[in-house]
Structure formats: C-alpha cells, structure tokens
Amino acid sequence: MVPADDGTLLHVGVTGQGPDVVVLSGGPGCVHYLEDDRLAPRGMRAWYPEPRGVGRSGGGPHDLGRAVADIEAVRRAGGIDSWVVLGHSWGSDLAVRYALDHPDRVASVVGVAGHGLHKDRTWSQAYESSRHLEADIEVDWAADVHAALSASFVQWIHEPELLRRLADSDVAMTFIAPQHDIRPSWPLRQLAALVPHGRFEELPGVAHNLWSTAPQVWVDHVTRACTATTSPKS
C-alpha cells in the first residue's frame, strides 16, 4: 500500500524489473484489471495503482486532479524520476492529463483504445449502435467513482487552454486503436496529429479488450510501444 498525499492508502501492484512503466486501467472507476505480470510490458518494472475508492484502495469519489496527484504519490514512493505511462481505454485519457500536468516525469505516453478528449454526439451514437457487438467482460467497478471522474473529465475537456497545452507538449505520445473496437478512432487520430511528437497506429485483428481476448498481441504491442518512444530532452 502507498499513502497518497492526504494519507489515503492506495493499493499498488508491482511486477518485473527494468525501466519503469505505470499502467492505468480503464473505467473510470474500474478495478485494476491489467495487474498481471503476464500482461506487463516485457523487460520493464510495471506499477499498477488501483484508483482510490475502488477495489483494494481506500478513499472514495474524486476528480481528475486527485487522480493525477495519486499517480504522483506512487511515483515519489517508488523513488522514480520519470516513467512511461501506459493506459488502456479511460486510462489512455488519464495518461494524457498526467503528462500535461507533469511532463518532466513522463518519458512517453502509450494510449491503447482510448476514448479521446471529447464529448461528441456522433461518436456516442456510433458507439451505442454497436454495443451489442462487443463481448461482455465482467470487471468490478465503483459507480460513484465513475460518476465523479466522468463529470471531472467533461469539465477538463472544456478548459480553454487544453488544446494549446496539447499543441505545446514535448511528451512523445503514441495512440493505438484496435481495428475492431466499436469506439471510433478519429479522436485518437486527432490527438496524434495535434501533439508535436504524436503517433497513431491501428492494430489489426483485435477488439477493445485485447488484453483479455488476445493477451499475447497486447503484450507484444505494448512492449514495443513502451520501449520505442521517449520524449525529447531539452
């Protein structure tokens, strides 16, 4: 357990050895479904902070600022100068926020199957119309944490300086969209085009929850992405 800066105890799993990567799972408000050494990027030390108010972590509903501060508390407790930030789904969007708030602590961002920084009606319509095609994977989650973080996310993406901050970011960011994800990939393509050191990839033959349905593909691709991208040094 790692104490946050307000004393709340956070569950943090750690696997492997090598350069550090913090792994952020989706939701928001889901337990850390990626905490498994078989899913970790090879040759790296992976950190799995479970969100406060969820699963084995204390606390309750919180906003994005608190979520970022909790990740920072884990980094400091581990004595880590900087790390790769790997996020899946909602975790990809949180990774971008963390990188904007703490760029000096981020070697690179790797976002897989993210939502993107938007609240677009046509995206939601496309997603809702295809939900019946996506296999259900049972993951425990906390509804109150989900609601609080979702509301905070909407506030954040409406901030007037957000796009300027993205366009000025020196952090290398790779966004990976599974070919068969029912979530439209255009927001990730836009992010990759907006950030100066952005890259977009489409991953063929897999769906949103490839960590479960195609775990070896997940491991191979996140290993490559996490070890291939680093931010420019000033």
Side-chain angles (χ1 to χ4, degrees):
M1 303 294 278
V2 170
D5 55 17
D6 64 352
T8 299
L9 293 179
L10 307 173
H11 170 81
V12 183
V14 185
T15 66
Q17 298 291 329
D20 291 291
V21 55
V22 60
V23 184
L24 308 177
S25 60
C30 285
V31 300
H32 208 313
Y33 52 80
L34 297 173
E35 187 184 332
D36 186 333
D37 60 0
R38 295 169 297 181
L39 298 174
R42 292 188 297 267
M44 303 187 77
R45 181 169 61 164
W47 300 76
Y48 307 91
E50 196 147 71
R52 67 169 53 214
V54 179
R56 297 156 289 185
S57 288
H62 57 285
D63 62 11
L64 271 170
R66 170 52 63 189
V68 168
D70 287 348
I71 298 170
E72 268 294 274
V74 174
R75 183 194 62 77
R76 291 193 301 268
I80 301 162
D81 182 59
S82 66
W83 50 8
V84 174
V85 186
L86 166 63
H88 174 258
S89 195
W90 154 262
S92 173
D93 306 324
L94 178 57
V96 174
R97 169 62 183 261
Y98 178 73
L100 291 181
D101 288 359
H102 298 281
D104 293 343
R105 302 305 183 184
V106 179
S108 64
V109 165
V110 177
V112 183
H115 172 274
L117 309 187
H118 71 93
K119 192 68 172 175
D120 182 87
R121 183 175 296 176
T122 62
W123 187 98
S124 298
Q125 289 171 343
Y127 169 68
E128 292 295 338
S129 68
S130 300
R131 287 192 68 178
H132 66 286
L133 302 176
E134 187 169 75
D136 287 331
I137 295 178
E138 293 296 326
V139 176
D140 289 337
W141 64 297
D144 54 352
V145 174
H146 175 90
L149 283 171
S150 294
S152 181
F153 173 80
V154 172
Q155 290 182 332
W156 174 48
I157 61 175
H158 289 165
E159 290 181 1
E161 294 298 316
L162 176 58
L163 296 182
R164 180 74 268 160
R165 293 179 70 197
L166 285 163
D168 289 342
S169 174
D170 280 334
V171 178
M173 301 188 190
T174 296
F175 299 99
I176 301 172
Q179 180 185 16
H180 300 310
D181 198 335
I182 64 172
R183 296 150 187 81
S185 65
W186 60 260
L188 304 182
R189 296 176 187 270
Q190 287 185 332
L191 278 173
L194 179 60
V195 297
H197 307 285
R199 205 157 62 92
F200 173 83
E201 300 177 16
E202 184 175 82
L203 191 54
V206 293
H208 184 75
N209 290 316
L210 70 154
W211 58 272
S212 176
T213 57
Q216 194 56 56
V217 175
W218 164 270
V219 171
D220 289 346
H221 281 78
V222 299
T223 298
R224 177 186 51 77
C226 287
T227 55
T229 57
T230 56
S231 297
K233 303 298 181 184
S234 58

